[in-house]
Amino acid sequence: MSGGSPFGAVLRGLRRRGRLTMEELAEASGVSVRAIGDMERGRSRVPQRRTVVALADGLGLADAEREALIAAARAARTTRAVASGSTVPQRSVRDFTGRGPELAFLRKTAERARTGAGASAAVVSGPPGCGKTTLALKAAADLVGEFPDGCFVVDLHGVAGPVDPGEALLKLLRALGVPDRRLGREDAAGHAGLLRSLLAERRCLVVLDNARDEGQVRPLLPADGESLVLVTSRRPLSGLEDVDRLALSEMAQSEAVELLRRILGAERADAEVESVARVAQLCGRLPLALRVAGNWLTVRSGWSVGRLARRLADEERRLGALAVGDVRVEAAFELSYRQLTPQAARLLRLLSLVPAPDMTASYGAALGETGLFEAEDVMEELIEAGLLQVAYNGRYKLHDLLRLFGRARLLREETPAEREAAEDRLRGWLLDTATIAGRWFKPGYGEPPSSWRGPDPLRSAEEAEAWLRDEAPAWLAALRGAAQRGEHTRVVRTADAMEWFCDLWIFWGHWPEVYRLSSEAAAALDDPKLRALHLNLYAWALTVCERRHREALELAGEALECARGAQDVAQQAAALMHAASAHRYLGEAHASAEKCLASIEVAEAAGAYEVWLNAMMSHAAALRLLGRAEEALTTDTRIIAFLDAPDCPVRGHVADVVRAHVTHALGRDHAALGRWREAAGHYRDALARSERIGLTYRTGQALVYLGPALIELGETEEARCRLRQVLDLGEDAVDPEAVTTARELLDSLPAE
């Protein structure tokens, strides 16, 4: 059988050799008699692969003959393709770097399309400059051998001067070999139908680059068959149905560095490794920016990479510096910006003020002075334009370079008064919400007042804690901004609200700064009562969070003087208690015990029960340090009895936290007395209580003390499991010393 024989002649020869009529082959294969006749006479197009397979099954062909029939069909289809349309510009992909998962996704899409098991089109979307076109062309270059009927690339110019769909149709049809005389007999609908039928019966790969919207693309997509269409667009083209989607963003840092290395050359890049990494970061790992920076350095061979890094470090000049020849990163953003509605353009400018890596729609509502749903609608427009990205769990992300672009437009298009008002709105919303959220955990407050109208309802303590953690970069920046602007009352109010939330997130890393700012604000307000409170909180932060015990002692002494001047007995007791804690951590047990007794006496007289409880726990710890474990046990037991009393004045979150702490302390008391079974029981109880209320600091402590108790009891395997749990919590959640202790104990255990 000749490989060059027309398909119809090959089919006819095989049917006759099998002594089958057309009717018999039709019955055996499921292909109609008329279709078989048209194929044999050359009156119809070459069938799709699955039709050829059905015919081979009906003919009962052996493997070699089956492949020959399929090859004849493929050869017939290939002669219809136009060679000029079957190439991918190699200059676009020769230094292609990274994007392994994305290429694998497109390969899988192509495989499903070839087998009829998936969509016949895929949309690659993302912000300007993220490398959509390069990725699509690289995928096409890799896959071209899988699509023997041709590979075609059509630039739809979607951002500037979009190509009319009818014009794109004609280009593709001509590339597929349709003569002009036939095209002249069809209208636009006929052209679209003809393209669908051609793509359905052939195996072609089509790249539709830079699509503007769904309407431009929809007439160019196949209905079914084994062809594949790759569409690139700044928009996700959400209106298209039955397509695979790939959202592209910036490169990974390692990929960005490797791309610069390929552009600059290994020798030059490896001579300044740190500077290359810095340039990659300053380019936001955006492929267009990386290429511009790399080309810029290539032209200026006398420049060091470090010199460019220093130039790009200036945020006001960075976008202007990312230009080489006629290629400007800023221009790529500008094209999309011009297509926005006035509301979306304004919100993009305002979102550049957000001092955090990502955000929720509430930021848009606060900045844009709209409701939450209206803000979501406008932010969705920014997503559709490729200028805002969906991050995770309903959060949005503005790329670093787009943030600089938005800020430049803010300076250019908004008056100073408008900019200041927007900053005030954002700062006020963040700090007001942080205050309401923090008060969920503070005695006397709890849930938000009925007057609260923030876009985030904070309906539970869990929601409040999640908000404070998720938005921490932004509200901390807002607190700094308020301090710089002399908004002292707002600073002390926000910091005060965090007093009991702190225990849930001790190792956040910023509590010393928060309370330094609030103590400075209280001093500026010249209010000794406020100053005593915030100096005490600052002393707590230095002692517990940073182990700066001598400084904490000085602050506690200053707080005591302020509290005495203000005649604030509760803060006097608190100052004595914080001083006692610092003494204990310094190993000064006698001084700690004395300060604790003084604090207990003052707090009890003032009815400051939260302070009294902390002073009692601190006194028990000092007694244990002095080797008086039985007295410590008696003191801690007294605390539990106080909390268990029906008329206990301390309830809610504060009572839960204290109970978790004192239960752990009971374990330490029993351990000091060598009662390991009782100690382990209390540690387990403390662990359960701490996990229930989210007290990760105490969770880690309970685990790291439970380990040795279990070892003493001979329960080595459980000890190993508990100590590994400490490591799983991580150093951001628990005391770094606890992590170190857990590692040392694990190393000391016998091998498994």
Side-chain angles (χ1 to χ4, degrees), residues 102-118:
E102 292 83 357
L103 287 171
F105 175 88
L106 294 178
R107 281 195 295 271
K108 187 172 288 188
T109 297
E111 178 61 28
R112 289 198 301 266
R114 288 198 307 273
T115 59

Side-chain angles (χ1 to χ4, degrees), residues 467-492:
W467 191 95
L468 288 169
R469 288 175 178 266
D470 291 343
E471 314 310 331
W475 70 255
L476 177 61
L479 190 73
R480 292 168 179 157
Q484 291 171 357
R485 289 167 174 77
E487 297 172 354
H488 306 308
T489 300
R490 178 173 275 169
V491 171
V492 296

Side-chain angles (χ1 to χ4, degrees), residues 609 613 639-652 655 659:
Y609 295 109
L613 285 166
I639 297 171
I640 292 293
F642 177 85
L643 293 171
D644 286 343
D647 58 347
C648 179
V650 178
R651 299 182 180 277
R659 193 179 290 274

Side-chain angles (χ1 to χ4, degrees), residues 351-376:
L351 290 178
S352 70
L353 296 172
V354 175
D358 51 55
M359 68 198 82
T360 64
S362 297
Y363 287 80
L367 283 163
E369 301 176 279
T370 67
L372 188 62
F373 294 133
E374 292 86 344
E376 286 178 342

